[in-house]
Amino acid sequence: VIRNVKLRKGDPREAVVAEQLVKKAIWQSVLKGLDTHPGDPTVVEGCCRVMKHSIRCVPEFCKQLVSDWCQKILQRFTAHQHSSYLYAVEILISAYHRDAEMRPFIFELFHRMTDIGLANLTADQQALHDKVELVEDFFGIFDRSLRFSPDMVSASAILDRVISLACVCMRIERKPTAESVYAFLESMYAFGSGLPQQAPPHILALLRNAAPHVMSANFAVILAVPPRFIAELIPQTFEYIHRAFPAEFPSWFGQAVTVFPPSVVSESEKPAILEKLSGKAVHTVLDDIGYRCEQVAMRNRNTKPD
């Protein structure tokens, strides 16, 4: 119901009706739903989506609920790491990132929720394929925060571990998850190149230290012949790394390209590949390397032992 409510500007009567709907029906129903079924991901997702539409419909009115909503989200996410709770934080960041009164609640919630999420995802990295939705929304919350409130991400004490985790999650063959992981990496290195604003020195140092590993991990993904939807996401990461650190890029390439056997990238080809990766032919050269990896993989499968 609340999703379909469209308020006309300048009509306070409509706003009052919507506010009463949220106050007397939706908010109480959401609280009851989370208290009664805290471990049911379907109920949790429904409650979080209802609150999303409520906030979008009457954002000023919902400000009075934010403190309690933050506490409820944190309490339930601590016990049950359902991805919808992270998505709920994304909505709060989008709605109130410019609101000085709301920012302290959201700032604290972001850091505590991402700490819990990281602990869950790194506890058993072999089980990441069973947590694809949590992975998706975990990196989604960082990506959205980088776009709306980069200072929130800059204050994160776990950012280096998040980038390391992204290098592991690149291999998850699920399109929405892969898009979220790569969007996060793109946003991080776009931040390093000055978008949407200049990154602070400690973030630039962190990105510089992580870049060789990020490049090597991407090359390893290409070597493993990923699905097309993953292969198409990889070039942008290289473009942003080069844009942020053009002077260091050749050295990092030299380290990362050793992932490939000579049958894929020969020593004599490396200078030409570096030139293309540093210019406007990133997609073309990575497509070519990917094709070579595919051919090598096919030959290896067709080779029978003596």
Side-chain angles (χ1 to χ4, degrees):
V1 173
I2 193 67
R3 180 181 61 185
N4 295 319
V5 174
K6 307 296 182 183
L7 301 183
R8 290 176 294 184
K9 279 189 174 183
D11 191 338
R13 295 172 299 176
E14 290 188 358
V16 169
V17 172
E19 290 166 4
Q20 291 303 306
L21 174 63
V22 172
K23 180 179 180 180
K24 295 182 178 180
I26 292 176
W27 176 238
Q28 297 305 319
S29 297
V30 166
L31 294 180
K32 184 176 180 180
L34 293 182
D35 289 340
T36 307
H37 305 284
D40 188 324
T42 302
V43 174
V44 171
E45 180 181 4
C47 291
C48 291
R49 287 190 178 278
V50 167
M51 282 306 298
K52 173 188 73 173
H53 293 300
S54 299
I55 290 170
R56 288 178 175 175
C57 181
V58 282
E60 283 301 313
F61 174 79
C62 285
K63 284 170 61 173
Q64 62 186 276
L65 307 176
V66 167
S67 177
D68 290 343
W69 183 227
C70 288
Q71 292 179 24
K72 181 65 69 174
I73 292 172
L74 179 60
Q75 179 188 29
R76 294 310 180 197
F77 189 64
T78 301
H80 304 279
Q81 283 85 60
H82 295 314
S83 63
S84 296
Y85 290 121
L86 290 173
Y87 182 67
V89 182
E90 289 186 49
I91 298 304
L92 288 172
I93 293 170
S94 299
Y96 300 117
H97 64 280
R98 290 193 180 95
D99 193 305
E101 185 181 355
M102 297 294 103
R103 277 180 59 83
F105 298 110
I106 300 170
F107 193 93
E108 180 181 2
L109 183 65
F110 168 82
H111 291 291
R112 295 184 67 177
M113 294 279 284
T114 52
D115 282 349
I116 295 168
L118 181 66
N120 179 293
L121 294 173
T122 55
D124 181 7
Q125 294 191 6
Q126 299 302 315
L128 286 172
H129 286 81
D130 298 324
K131 303 176 180 180
V132 291
E133 292 181 348
L134 183 62
V135 173
E136 177 186 345
D137 284 322
F138 178 76
F139 288 105
I141 193 174
F142 277 95
D143 178 45
R144 186 169 298 213
S145 298
L146 280 163
R147 286 185 280 120
F148 289 109
S149 187
D151 59 312
M152 193 179 299
V153 177
S154 296
S156 175
I158 62 171
L159 200 51
D160 57 338
R161 296 170 60 198
V162 175
I163 295 175
S164 296
L165 179 62
C167 292
V168 177
C169 293
M170 289 175 183
R171 295 178 176 270
I172 296 178
E173 295 183 358
R174 176 177 178 266
K175 193 170 188 289
T177 304
E179 289 174 342
S180 180
V181 171
Y182 275 96
F184 160 71
L185 288 171
E186 289 174 31
S187 293
M188 280 302 311
Y189 281 94
F191 191 26
S193 65
L195 300 171
Q197 62 188 50
Q198 186 59 48
H202 76 280
I203 294 297
L204 291 174
L206 184 152
L207 292 173
R208 185 178 289 107
N209 290 336
H213 180 51
V214 173
M215 291 174 67
S216 295
N218 273 286
F219 280 158
V221 171
I222 295 174
L223 181 61
V225 190
R228 188 64 188 170
F229 66 80
I230 291 180
E232 290 174 346
L233 297 170
I234 294 174
Q236 289 88 342
T237 303
F238 281 92
E239 289 174 347
Y240 279 113
I241 291 175
H242 180 265
R243 186 181 301 177
F245 304 105
E248 297 94 332
F249 190 86
S251 174
W252 297 338
F253 167 79
Q255 299 173 44
V257 77
T258 59
V259 167
F260 297 116
S263 55
V264 173
V265 176
S266 66
E267 192 66 33
S268 61
E269 292 176 301
K270 290 179 182 178
I273 291 174
L274 172 60
E275 183 179 356
K276 291 178 181 179
L277 279 178
S278 303
K280 297 182 179 180
V282 179
H283 290 258
T284 302
V285 70
L286 292 181
D287 277 347
D288 180 55
I289 293 173
Y291 175 75
R292 298 184 192 185
C293 291
E294 185 177 353
Q295 295 302 305
V296 169
M298 291 175 63
R299 286 198 297 269
N300 291 339
R301 284 198 297 268
N302 294 331
T303 301
K304 297 180 180 180
D306 295 333

